[in-house]
Amino acid sequence: MQQLRALCNLVVCFGIVISLTACGGGGSDAPSLGQVTGKITMDGAPLADASVTFMPEKVRASAATTDSEGNYELIYIREDKGAAIGKHKVSVSKLKDEKETIPEKYSGGETELTLTADVKAGANEFDFDLTSK
């Protein structure tokens, strides 16, 4: 069951990556975006190489991968940085040996995501300190 859940999370992350690199730019069909940066920590320590996804209700999700210090900057599509203005559910995921290492309340899995963000026009900073328990 754990491997199936990890595989499902991997497939979702892969789908987001594919959608971010799909043909066509943001163009006039793109929603208004706010620039989004932040830092992800786990129990107070920077969380490196984690996938961060902001998911609005009606348009494309934005995603990023944290650096060695846990910092991220969201990309909507190609070179368009940011996320759609409005409310988002936020997922943080990190696989190790094909297993999810982040608690389900942050990564999705079978439970409801607990992280949210309300993106505004302009610069936004959302820091999340996750707990391993």
Side-chain angles (χ1 to χ4, degrees):
M1 184 67 170
Q2 214 34 349
Q3 288 179 333
L4 179 60
R5 187 174 307 127
L7 180 61
C8 288
N9 284 336
L10 183 61
V11 168
V12 168
C13 289
F14 182 71
I16 290 169
V17 169
I18 293 298
S19 70
L20 288 174
T21 59
C23 294
S28 61
D29 293 338
S32 296
L33 302 177
Q35 275 53 61
V36 179
T37 60
K39 183 171 188 166
I40 308 291
T41 56
M42 175 75 78
D43 299 325
L47 185 61
D49 302 317
S51 298
V52 182
T53 307
F54 277 48
M55 299 170 285
E57 287 186 22
K58 297 184 180 184
V59 296
R60 170 190 315 266
S62 295
T65 300
T66 57
D67 66 14
S68 62
E69 295 298 315
N71 298 307
Y72 68 92
E73 182 175 17
L74 291 180
I75 297 174
Y76 180 72
I77 187 171
R78 292 183 170 198
E79 295 86 29
D80 293 342
K81 294 181 179 182
I85 293 172
K87 296 181 188 279
H88 295 254
K89 290 184 178 183
V90 179
S91 171
V92 179
S93 176
K94 184 173 180 178
L95 299 178
K96 182 176 182 180
D97 298 326
E98 299 182 17
K99 293 184 181 178
E100 181 61 62
T101 63
I102 306 296
E104 287 185 13
K105 63 184 175 181
Y106 307 122
S107 63
E110 296 176 0
T111 61
E112 187 69 25
L113 292 170
T114 59
L115 301 177
T116 60
D118 192 4
V119 176
K120 308 286 186 195
N124 296 263
E125 185 173 339
F126 297 104
D127 297 335
F128 298 102
D129 185 23
L130 315 181
T131 57
S132 57
K133 297 182 179 170

